[in-house]
Amino acid sequence: MTPSTPESAPVALVDVHAHLTHPRLLESIDAVIARARAAGVSHIVSNGLNPEDNERVLALAERFDCVRPALGFYPVDTVITDMRAAGAHYPREGREFTAEEGVSWLEQHVERAFAVGEIGLDGYWVPEPFWEKQEAVFRKLVRLALEADKPIIVHTRKRERRTLEILDELGARRVDWHCFGGKVSLARQIAERPGHYLSIPANARRSESFTRMLQTLPRDRLLLETDCPYLSPDKERSSEPADVAGTARYAAELWNVSEAEVTRIVAENFATLFRL
Ligand SMILES: [Zn+2]
């Protein structure tokens, strides 16, 4: 049975990309989860950014039923030392780690992952001479996900087309593109790939690009996310998983359907991608 039929699991909202381990959310995590539940959110995929963060994500998933662990890291985080030595600037906080360390952590824990993420390519901070090394790490992570039969949550900046080429080449067929920043025309090409989805953040109402994606992408390829505490619908405060309800409302206005219908469509897409 799928969540689309009224007699099965209750129709529920999902946040496919959150950072519940961010200190701003973690300090009041019980209230954050309670507000998400009150807003009708049934699943929150919390994404890890490095081995230590991934450990915290796993601990949260143990504690809360609705939290599902996405384990991964940005390949850029393993080339920072070399980048800085070459004079490039990268505003990263936290402990640096090697590609070997990151990949080996994931190899040991991938069975516990709901998804592998977030992973992706960065062409915004990373200068071109480091792209090849970054791609080599990305390929390792994608292969690991494919071998373990896990969906992939991708975040890519300025390297969207290259990311798609690599995913196509490796045969990735269960992918969520989080916070897609490329051209809407490329988003449409991505949505034509079997098993590729794009998740729309909670700031959609004030983003021309996310609005156009909601208006023009096939509805059976859309998911909702927050990237909390970032990309808030309200610049004055952090976002949190409960904010997916506002995006569902916005999509309902754009599509001229009920919020329940948006929730049903997104829940079905989520269940298909994650084989629930
Ligand atoms: Zn993120």
Side-chain angles (χ1 to χ4, degrees):
M1 291 210 290
T2 72
S4 62
T5 51
E7 65 275 14
S8 69
V11 172
L13 287 165
V14 296
D15 180 353
V16 75
H17 191 97
H19 293 284
L20 294 177
T21 52
H22 189 286
R24 261 189 270 164
L25 295 165
L26 205 51
E27 66 185 10
S28 55
I29 192 67
D30 291 293
V32 167
I33 297 288
R35 284 193 291 268
R37 285 189 174 130
V41 177
S42 63
H43 294 77
I44 305 165
V45 184
S46 196
N47 286 239
L49 293 169
N50 55 57
E52 282 146 13
D53 192 35
N54 287 326
E55 297 277 1
R56 289 192 287 270
V57 167
L58 283 172
L60 269 188
E62 291 277 311
R63 217 176 123 198
F64 298 102
D65 272 2
C66 58
V67 176
R68 302 299 158 103
L71 308 176
F73 60 89
Y74 281 124
V76 54
D77 285 353
T78 67
V79 297
I80 300 170
T81 305
D82 296 349
M83 262 169 56
R84 287 189 180 142
H89 173 66
Y90 181 60
R92 177 183 182 268
E93 307 145 21
R95 187 178 71 81
E96 295 185 19
F97 54 96
T98 64
E100 293 67 31
E101 221 181 311
V103 170
S104 125
W105 188 94
L106 196 61
E107 274 167 356
Q108 287 163 44
H109 296 85
V110 71
E111 281 312 321
R112 294 176 68 192
F114 186 64
V116 168
E118 61 186 294
I119 65 173
L121 300 178
D122 186 301
Y124 182 80
W125 297 108
V126 182
E128 194 167 345
F130 298 96
W131 287 357
E132 207 178 300
K133 195 170 175 202
Q134 184 183 221
E135 283 183 13
V137 179
F138 180 63
R139 279 168 196 277
K140 277 188 188 158
L141 296 175
V142 172
R143 285 206 184 93
L144 238 168
L146 293 175
E147 279 159 22
D149 201 15
K150 302 287 180 180
I152 296 165
I153 298 176
V154 161
H155 186 205
T156 275
R157 282 184 91 183
K158 307 282 178 202
R159 298 291 289 146
E160 287 83 4
R161 196 170 286 279
R162 182 65 185 145
T163 301
L164 182 60
E165 278 170 18
I166 294 173
L167 291 172
D168 276 349
E169 179 200 315
L170 297 177
R173 286 288 174 263
R174 290 170 77 203
V175 181
D176 171 47
W177 291 74
H178 136 69
C179 188
F180 183 79
K183 292 206 165 75
V184 176
S185 55
L186 181 59
R188 284 193 211 107
Q189 289 174 41
I190 288 170
E192 283 166 14
R193 300 290 193 286
H196 285 239
Y197 294 77
L198 294 108
S199 49
I200 307 296
N203 66 349
R205 207 180 272 273
R206 51 187 181 82
S207 155
E208 196 185 324
S209 160
F210 291 132
T211 297
R212 281 183 57 217
M213 284 166 63
L214 276 174
Q215 284 169 323
T216 62
L217 293 181
R219 291 177 193 175
D220 65 355
R221 291 310 169 85
L222 290 173
L223 294 168
L224 300 181
E225 63 159 80
T226 59
D227 201 23
C228 59
Y230 311 108
L231 306 180
S232 179
D234 176 358
K235 280 184 184 160
E236 304 302 306
R237 63 164 177 88
S238 296
S239 67
E240 58 178 66
D243 288 316
V244 292
T247 322
R249 209 172 304 128
Y250 185 44
E253 290 167 25
L254 294 172
W255 299 352
N256 199 21
V257 301
S258 67
E259 281 171 54
E261 178 64 1
V262 174
T263 303
R264 184 194 69 76
I265 291 169
V266 175
E268 189 168 292
N269 297 346
F270 182 78
T272 305
L273 174 58
F274 291 95
R275 296 187 188 143
L276 298 184

